[in-house]
């Protein structure tokens, strides 16, 4: 049986976490990942609950090379957690403007 994680935070903490995630998703180190993760975060950040935000923070902890490979179904040197956020990221279609 799946155990549900319960997080207790106030509104200020919630907004702070979202701001941190937005910043981290837009300033990665490679322009390609900045654009991809920035667009992904912009699309979904307002609809995520605290558990999803924590999972997104974990996704952002992954280096650009492995995250790029994961997104493009290439070989990753690390095991990436199977979460709702990871599945959402894999399905995300990034349109180059």
């Amino acid at each position: 049986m799946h155990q549900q994680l319960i997080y207790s935070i106030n509104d200020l903490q919630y907004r702070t976490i979202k701001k941190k995630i937005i910043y981290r998703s837009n300033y990665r180190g490679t322009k390609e990942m900045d654009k991809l993760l920035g667009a992904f975060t912009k699309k979904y950040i307002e609809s995520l609950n605290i558990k999803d935000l924590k999972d997104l923070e974990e996704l952002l902890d992954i280096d650009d090379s492995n995250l790029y490979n994961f997104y493009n179904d290439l070989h990753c040197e690390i095991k990436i957690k199977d979460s709702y956020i990871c599945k959402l990221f894999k399905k995300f279609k990034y349109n180059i403007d």
Side-chain angles (χ1 to χ4, degrees), residues 5-97:
L5 297 176
I6 299 173
Y7 296 96
S8 177
I9 63 169
N10 65 36
D11 188 53
L12 179 61
Q13 290 169 319
Y14 188 69
R15 286 182 296 179
T16 301
I17 290 168
K18 289 195 314 188
K19 286 179 183 179
K20 178 181 170 188
I21 287 171
I22 291 167
Y23 180 84
R24 288 185 64 204
S25 67
N26 284 288
Y27 298 97
R28 298 282 307 172
T30 63
K31 195 52 108 174
E32 295 82 7
M33 293 307 292
D34 290 351
K35 290 180 180 181
L36 173 62
L37 285 165
F40 173 76
T41 299
K42 182 178 180 181
K43 180 172 182 173
Y44 293 109
I45 191 88
E46 295 303 324
S47 65
L48 301 178
N49 63 36
I50 189 61
K51 181 191 178 313
D52 295 335
L53 291 173
K54 293 292 184 182
D55 287 342
L56 182 51
E57 283 185 313
E58 287 181 22
L59 186 74
L60 293 174
D61 286 340
I62 299 169
D63 65 277
D64 284 354
S65 178
N66 278 305
L67 202 50
Y68 177 87
N69 288 349
F70 174 73
Y71 180 75
N72 290 295
D73 291 322
L74 302 171
H75 172 73
C76 291
E77 296 175 0
I78 61 171
K79 173 85 170 124
I80 295 179
K81 180 178 173 180
D82 184 30
S83 68
Y84 168 73
I85 290 299
C86 289
K87 290 175 185 172
L88 196 61
F89 179 63
K90 289 277 286 187
K91 291 180 185 177
F92 179 67
K93 301 296 181 207
Y94 174 64
N95 297 319
I96 299 172
D97 295 325

